[in-house]
Amino acid sequence: RIKACYERQLKTNPDLAGKVRVAWEIDTSGRVSGVDIVSNSTGNAALGDCIKKEVRKFRFGDQEDDIVVEGYNFLLSPG
């Protein structure tokens, strides 16, 4: 899903590259309950928005407590 976001933006900017750092929260049912773009060195807001939307769809197994993923890096480069 993240790759599809990136490939869609590559069509308009074939040199698009960089790192998008994302933080999210997982509730006890395993659903993502909150997502934030911490940083986006690509400078492409549409890419950040798409990644945020897709991360919100992630599903994990049941959890004892809410979990916070403070930052996960998506490193993106063409080719």
Side-chain angles (χ1 to χ4, degrees):
R1 293 177 177 173
I2 304 303
K3 184 178 178 183
C5 289
Y6 180 56
E7 289 175 347
R8 208 168 13 257
Q9 295 304 314
L10 274 177
K11 291 177 183 176
T12 59
N13 181 356
D15 296 324
L16 182 65
K19 176 174 71 173
V20 179
R21 186 170 179 82
V22 183
W24 65 83
E25 298 173 20
I26 305 166
D27 66 20
T28 56
S29 70
R31 293 182 173 272
V32 174
S33 57
V35 181
D36 288 309
I37 300 298
V38 177
S39 63
N40 181 354
S41 70
T42 70
N44 186 305
L47 175 60
D49 290 343
C50 184
I51 290 173
K52 186 175 180 177
K53 178 181 170 186
E54 293 303 327
V55 168
R56 194 174 301 281
K57 296 177 186 176
F58 288 2
R59 298 294 179 257
F60 301 88
D62 289 348
Q63 310 294 317
E64 280 188 34
D65 296 308
D66 290 350
I67 296 175
V68 175
V69 178
E70 293 186 6
Y72 185 88
N73 295 320
F74 292 98
L75 303 176
L76 307 162
S77 64

